[in-house]
Each structure stands twice: as C-alpha cells, then as structure tokens.
Amino acid sequence: MSDPLRFLTSLGQALSATGLYRPGHPARERAVDQAWEQLAGLQKFDPEPVFSFLEDEVLYRQQALRDFKAWDWARRLARAGVQRVEFEREVSREDLSDFLGEIQQRITAGTADSSEAREMRRGPIRYGLVSIRGANADIVVETADSEVAPYTLEDEIEAVGWIHAEVRDTETLPLAEANAVVRSLSLAMHSQSRMLMPLLQLKAYDQYTTTHATNVSVLAMALAEFIGLSPKDVREFGVAGLLHDLGKVRVPREILIKPGALTAQEVAVLRKHPVDGARLILARERKLDLAATVAYEHHIMINGLGYPRFRYERETHFASRLVHLCDVFDALCTARPYRDAWATEMALAYIEERSGTDFESQLAEAFTGMMRLWSHQRVSVAPGTASIP
Ligand SMILES: [Fe+2]
Ligand SMILES: [Fe+2]
C-alpha cells in the first residue's frame, strides 16, 4: 500500500477512535499517533498533500483512489462539510489531534451548515468545502490488495469490549463511550443513501458478548425506526439494546461458552444477569432508567414466562419487549458452541410461530416484515480479529 493509502486508512481509524473514546484514552491516543506517523511518512515525499472527499470518491491531489471508492469516511466527511483537506509542512501531533476532534464534532452534529465559512484552518491544516470543478478524476492510482470494505465495525466492537472490561474491572459503566458507540452505529446505518443494517458475524465464541450487544443495538434501532419512533427514542432503544446483557460481565466465562447443557447451579448464575445488569446501569446513571428496565426485563415473555419473576404480575415495558425480540433473533442467527447458526428465514418463522405467546404480535409482525423488506439492506460484517479484552 502506498503512503497516501496508508495515511487515509490510519486517518479513518483515528476518526473512529476520536468519536468513540474521550481524550487521553489509550486507544484514541494510539490511533492519533499512528495517523500522525503515517502523515509524516507521506510528507517526506509530498510535503503538502491534498485530499478531496466526495460522496463516492476520494481524490489524492487530482487522482481518484480506486480503493477508497465508497469509503464510508469519505461520505461522512463530505456530508459534514469537510470535502477537502490540505496539509502544510510540519503538522504537529497536537494539530492533527485537534483537527480530528473538530471534524468528529462536525460529523456528530449532522450536516454542514452552509452559512459557515467555506474554509477552516487548524494550524497548518486547512479544510472545508470545495468546488470540484476541474478535478480530473480519471487517473487511477495504484491499488491495495483488496477493496476497502465500507464497514468493519472493528472499532465499535473493540470499544464495546473495552466497555465490558471496564464494567467488569471497575464496576462503573463508561457512559460516554456507550453513547458514542450507539451514535457511531447509527451513523453507519445512515451514511449511505438508504438505511443499512450492519450485523456482525461471530468469529470466535469468546467475542459473543460484544458481537451480540452490537447486533442487538443495531436491530433495536432499526426496528424502532421502522415502526416510526422519534430519533431520540431510536437512540435510547439503541443504548438499551447495547447494554441489555451488561450483567453478563459477572457470569464466569466458562458458563458463557460452555458447549453442553448447564447445571442447575450454572443456570441460576446465568439468570442473575438481568438483575445485575440493571443494578450496574443504575449505579452509574439514574437517567438511564430505560436501559436499566430493559436489562431487567429482557428475558420476560409477554405470557409472563421467563426470568426474573415479578412479585406481582405486570406488563413489561415496550422497549423490553422490543429488545427481547431482537435479542432472541440475534441469538438464533449466531452459531453457539452447541449448535449452528440458524438461517434468517428459519429464525423469522420461529418468531412468527411464537407471536402472541413469547413475543408481542404487533412487534413480531413489524420485525419479520422489516427483515424481509430490508433483506437487501442487511450487510453481514465480519470483523477482523481485533484484540478484544
Ligand atoms: Fe440476556
Ligand atoms: Fe442477549
């Protein structure tokens, strides 16, 4: 891979990390270090590199980079008003880090304000809107071995792994990062011209908890959006989906990945996760009561069966019923140590069969309808073997 390609790859990773972690977090600082090193490498032979980010094209100087066609970050940058970035000589690490923070904020804030200055500057980095007239995009630069996949969600899944490790080790929920993961998933779902459902494929059994949390968050947001909930509710359902199994950080790994049937004692340990999850969430943030409720209720079916048992029978929260459905679907469609993954249609048939007993019928109908209608919007994402704690 040539230097501009390497630099862009590291720039995308640094942008992800800047969106996912607070300043000073090792993952964020490491990603900025790498982008800065790559930039320095590039500037050795091109002291003032210029990149343009168009919807479906990335230009390095006047040359289209074929490998970065449909690069997700190009769209996000273009839509945030960062269509052109020019680096002057001697960009310090701090310049680059501040620049990343600034553009990540613009991305998070939504589309660019057209009344804003067309050009901004962060020290020796100039960026902003660009007139693409004259850009000669027909020269194709050398390519890397493979096309750049629009999604890997590797950074997101790594952040979820880190969140779980924090909760396990410190008993505190890093709320800012959890919100950032949901924001980032929501961006991935909406950055194309149509809605997308990026669902992760499990690579290794011990990544189940992180993969599953991410998928349930995506499914819960998709369904909430599909039935017409407000963007704020959609986001809250996404957080609730992400955190629904948080209590599993207290369940020993041997039980979680045990291939055979669990003993009665192991079942009892596993079944504590809804209560533990709700407690962990509330200990951190009273305002997350929806996520806490969902964590507590997500194994209760509409016929009242499931666990934990209520002392007095009552209905579960709508969000709990919605997450329950997404939870079961993702569990069925994921390979477990003791069985293969189910095909989507088989899992949908299961949901239809139990509509009205396990699942609320209107939700079951909406979910199966959505999955069939959006079958082309589902993208299967195979995350790399990023190290997950
Ligand atoms: Fe659960
Ligand atoms: Fe679950």
Side-chain angles (χ1 to χ4, degrees):
M1 216 194 278
S2 73
D3 293 295
L5 302 187
R6 263 204 300 267
F7 168 62
L8 280 178
T9 306
S10 67
L11 183 76
Q13 283 158 355
L15 277 166
S16 285
T18 304
L20 290 167
Y21 302 98
R22 64 174 78 97
H25 188 285
R28 173 168 170 158
E29 300 308 319
R30 203 167 44 237
V32 175
D33 282 344
Q34 274 160 9
W36 187 58
E37 277 162 27
Q38 293 300 337
L39 178 62
L42 171 61
Q43 286 188 308
K44 270 190 205 139
F45 73 87
D46 179 5
E48 300 195 336
V50 177
F51 293 94
S52 307
F53 303 102
L54 315 174
E55 279 284 308
D56 284 314
E57 206 84 68
V58 177
L59 306 185
Y60 167 56
R61 300 201 160 273
Q62 301 286 306
Q63 302 171 325
L65 303 179
R66 197 172 61 198
D67 286 323
F68 284 81
K69 204 168 172 55
W71 188 45
D72 200 35
W73 278 110
R75 280 196 194 93
R76 294 183 188 179
L77 287 166
R79 289 183 191 181
V82 184
Q83 294 171 346
R84 185 180 178 87
V85 182
E86 300 180 18
F87 297 91
E88 292 170 5
R89 279 158 214 267
E90 300 191 4
V91 176
S92 72
R93 188 191 176 284
E94 202 187 341
D95 293 328
L96 185 65
S97 168
D98 290 349
F99 163 73
L100 291 166
E102 261 174 34
I103 54 179
Q104 182 55 247
Q105 254 174 22
R106 294 174 65 88
I107 290 169
T108 310
T111 47
D113 177 356
S114 56
S115 65
E116 257 182 81
R118 289 178 66 83
E119 189 177 292
M120 284 144 289
R121 180 181 270 281
R122 162 60 53 189
I125 307 173
R126 285 190 298 161
Y127 62 97
L129 300 172
V130 65
S131 150
I132 57 160
R133 267 183 307 122
N136 178 6
D138 56 9
I139 308 164
V140 175
V141 161
E142 66 164 286
T143 62
D145 298 334
S146 60
E147 291 271 310
V148 173
Y151 301 107
T152 61
L153 298 188
E154 243 169 69
D155 300 306
E156 286 79 0
I157 194 164
E158 205 175 326
V160 174
W162 178 79
I163 290 168
H164 287 161
E166 279 292 290
V167 174
R168 191 165 44 231
D169 300 342
T170 68
E171 297 268 308
T172 36
L173 167 65
L175 185 59
E177 281 79 2
N179 282 325
V181 166
V182 170
R183 195 168 58 226
S184 185
L185 292 174
S186 165
L187 274 173
M189 292 164 75
H190 294 102
S191 61
Q192 313 275 321
S193 52
R194 57 182 187 163
M195 167 82 176
L196 275 187
M197 266 190 282
L199 296 175
L200 290 160
Q201 268 174 341
L202 186 68
K203 272 221 165 155
Y205 292 127
D206 56 354
Q207 292 176 4
Y208 178 71
T209 323
T210 42
T211 307
H212 176 63
T214 312
N215 283 349
V216 173
S217 180
V218 166
L219 289 166
M221 283 196 279
L223 182 55
E225 187 164 325
F226 187 75
I227 58 176
L229 298 190
S230 72
K232 183 173 168 286
D233 285 342
V234 171
R235 195 71 64 82
E236 276 187 29
F237 279 46
V239 173
L242 187 74
L243 302 180
H244 79 280
D245 269 342
L246 199 66
K248 281 196 181 165
V249 300
R250 297 248 176 94
V251 179
R253 200 171 160 273
E254 309 81 74
I255 296 184
L256 290 177
I257 59 168
K258 186 173 173 182
L262 299 180
T263 64
Q265 206 183 7
E266 288 166 338
V267 169
V269 172
L270 182 67
R271 289 191 166 193
K272 275 181 17 197
H273 81 271
V275 177
D276 282 344
R279 283 205 189 116
L280 282 164
I281 295 168
L282 284 179
R284 170 66 174 84
E285 177 62 67
R286 285 266 147 206
K287 274 192 237 129
L288 274 183
D289 53 351
L290 181 81
T293 302
V294 169
Y296 190 83
E297 298 181 340
H298 74 276
H299 281 287
I300 301 174
M301 296 178 250
I302 62 153
N303 59 11
L305 297 178
Y307 63 92
R309 300 307 291 263
F310 289 140
R311 206 174 307 175
Y312 306 103
E313 198 146 313
R314 63 171 169 84
E315 263 200 352
T316 54
H317 192 286
F318 178 69
S320 306
R321 283 176 264 154
L322 185 143
V323 168
H324 171 64
L325 181 55
C326 301
D327 182 26
V328 171
F329 177 80
D330 184 63
L332 291 175
C333 293
T334 304
R336 304 297 295 136
Y338 42 87
R339 62 155 171 81
D340 289 339
W342 286 26
T344 305
E345 257 318 307
M346 204 165 132
L348 294 179
Y350 177 94
I351 287 168
E352 277 166 340
E353 225 169 80
R354 286 166 176 75
S355 163
T357 53
D358 296 14
F359 312 111
E360 179 169 315
S361 30
Q362 279 166 328
L363 274 174
E365 201 181 310
F367 184 83
T368 49
M370 170 184 83
M371 294 309 273
R372 288 182 182 124
L373 194 66
W374 288 359
S375 58
H376 298 297
Q377 267 99 317
R378 285 200 304 267
V379 271
S380 207
V381 182
T385 40
S387 64
I388 290 165

